[in-house]
Amino acid sequence: MSSATPRATLVGSIAILLWSTLALFTTQANAVPPLLLLTLTFGVASLLFFIVYLFKGELRRSWKQTPTSAMLMGGLGFFFYHFCYFYAFQHAPPVEAGLIAYLWPLLIVLLAGTTSGNKLLWTHLVGAIIAFIGTGIMLQSRAQESQITGSVLGYGAAFACAIIWSGYSVSNRRFAHVPSSSVLWYCLITTLLAGLSHLTLEPSQWSFSASTWIAIIGLGFGPVGIAFFCWDMGVKRGNLSLLGVLSYTAPALSTAWLGLFTEEVLSQGQIIACLMITAGALFASLMPTKKRHRLTSATPAQRSNINNP
């Protein structure tokens, strides 16, 4: 397996920024049944990727280089994660649903240390603990205000998101040789599964407001589109442990967007928790002094060995 590269880690972090807008766009599209929303958003993403890779002349090569096992894992991972996510936001309060779903970065950090090419540093653990405490403070703040309401199924779906996405992200490391253009096939599989499920299980409803359609297109281009290409490259070739902890900035940003652009009113406890989550992620990005010194004085080949024991 190739060594983790800073460039791939940076590209992966772009996905985190885009995903921070997922909750905002999802709340704006709450009138759309979850399976139909899944069909439409991934339809937009599939069209986007198809046009890009058609012009780049990579469609045939991508198809040949993407094994069936990778397509199935990616397609099913995308489908079940986003169905649970959209369902959770329609059956539980947005802030709580988002925070529970964002337990996946913690799970990635803990799981990534068991994969080859990654080592769980003490800074990752401490940063994850700080961020996890921040998440707990935010939930406790809402509980004290007696605002923890909503469907048990909604909260369960949010928790399922954390399990599904952390498992997918770590398992995807096995397909480092598969080109990132493979996300096109993942999106197409998700679109087909969601479309068939919608026709079977949900009533047809296509009359939505202009703002809802804007949210659908925004989802398809950003957090459900470009973000997946960035994340795919990040988890395959970047520092997976660091990406997992940096992902804790997403719930903080996500909550901030909800407070700024919706009617959600953030409490003092939630603001403090957001700061803790961000601080934890930043702390986790620091390397121990001893290792930093070794990297600074080492040759490029030695740096690779240090990063990938």
Side-chain angles (χ1 to χ4, degrees):
M1 179 179 295
S2 60
S3 60
T5 65
R7 179 176 177 272
T9 304
L10 177 62
V11 171
S13 67
I14 295 174
I16 296 169
L17 179 61
L18 290 173
W19 279 333
S20 72
T21 66
L22 183 59
L24 176 62
F25 281 126
T26 300
T27 57
Q28 302 302 313
N30 255 356
V32 187
L35 288 170
L36 178 57
L37 182 58
L38 201 57
T39 306
L40 294 174
T41 53
F42 274 91
V44 171
S46 298
L47 180 61
L48 169 65
F49 285 127
F50 183 84
I51 292 174
V52 169
Y53 293 120
L54 177 65
F55 276 96
K56 293 181 69 175
E58 296 182 10
L59 286 178
R60 181 175 297 180
R61 182 175 65 87
S62 176
W63 175 262
K64 291 181 177 180
Q65 293 182 351
T66 305
T68 303
S69 57
M71 287 189 186
L72 289 176
M73 188 188 75
L76 292 175
F78 283 19
F79 174 77
F80 284 109
Y81 172 80
H82 286 88
F83 170 74
C84 290
Y85 192 93
F86 293 154
Y87 183 91
F89 269 74
Q90 293 183 7
H91 294 82
V95 173
E96 285 75 13
L99 290 172
I100 294 173
Y102 269 112
L103 289 174
W104 63 259
L106 175 63
L107 298 180
I108 285 182
V109 171
L110 299 178
L111 291 174
T114 64
T115 64
S116 63
N118 285 277
K119 184 177 181 181
L120 197 62
L121 303 176
W122 69 269
T123 51
H124 292 153
L125 284 173
V126 174
I129 291 171
I130 294 173
F132 186 65
I133 291 174
T135 302
I137 288 175
M138 193 175 293
L139 288 174
Q140 181 64 24
S141 172
R142 297 286 279 185
Q144 289 177 347
E145 297 170 11
S146 300
Q147 294 178 356
I148 297 293
T149 58
S151 169
V152 173
L153 288 177
Y155 293 126
F159 185 69
C161 289
I163 296 175
I164 293 169
W165 198 250
S166 60
Y168 163 78
S169 295
V170 175
S171 298
N172 201 26
R173 195 77 169 182
R174 296 185 294 113
F175 297 107
H177 62 285
V178 177
S180 292
S181 58
S182 60
V183 294
L184 165 61
W185 315 115
Y186 304 167
C187 289
L188 280 173
I189 291 173
T190 302
T191 304
L192 292 174
L193 286 175
L196 292 173
S197 300
H198 165 68
L199 293 175
T200 305
L201 302 173
E202 290 178 341
S204 295
Q205 180 183 352
W206 292 83
S207 179
F208 305 117
S209 65
S211 60
T212 298
W213 283 109
I214 291 174
I216 291 171
I217 295 173
L219 281 168
F221 273 94
V224 173
I226 297 172
F228 286 126
F229 172 85
C230 296
W231 188 248
D232 188 81
M233 179 179 290
V235 298
K236 287 178 179 176
R237 301 179 178 86
N239 187 321
L240 187 56
S241 295
L242 180 55
L243 281 174
V245 180
L246 287 177
S247 298
Y248 265 110
T249 59
L253 289 171
S254 177
T255 303
W257 303 150
L258 288 173
L260 288 172
F261 298 108
T262 70
E263 296 180 356
E264 289 286 328
V265 179
L266 301 183
S267 66
Q268 183 179 10
Q270 290 173 325
I271 295 174
I272 293 174
C274 283
L275 293 175
M276 287 188 65
I277 291 171
T278 303
L282 292 175
F283 183 85
S285 67
L286 301 175
M287 287 186 295
T289 303
K290 182 178 180 181
K291 183 173 181 180
R292 189 186 303 114
H293 175 72
R294 290 169 62 199
L295 282 172
T296 302
S297 59
T299 65
Q302 290 172 331
R303 291 177 188 175
S304 176
N305 291 331
I306 292 173
N307 278 322
N308 298 278

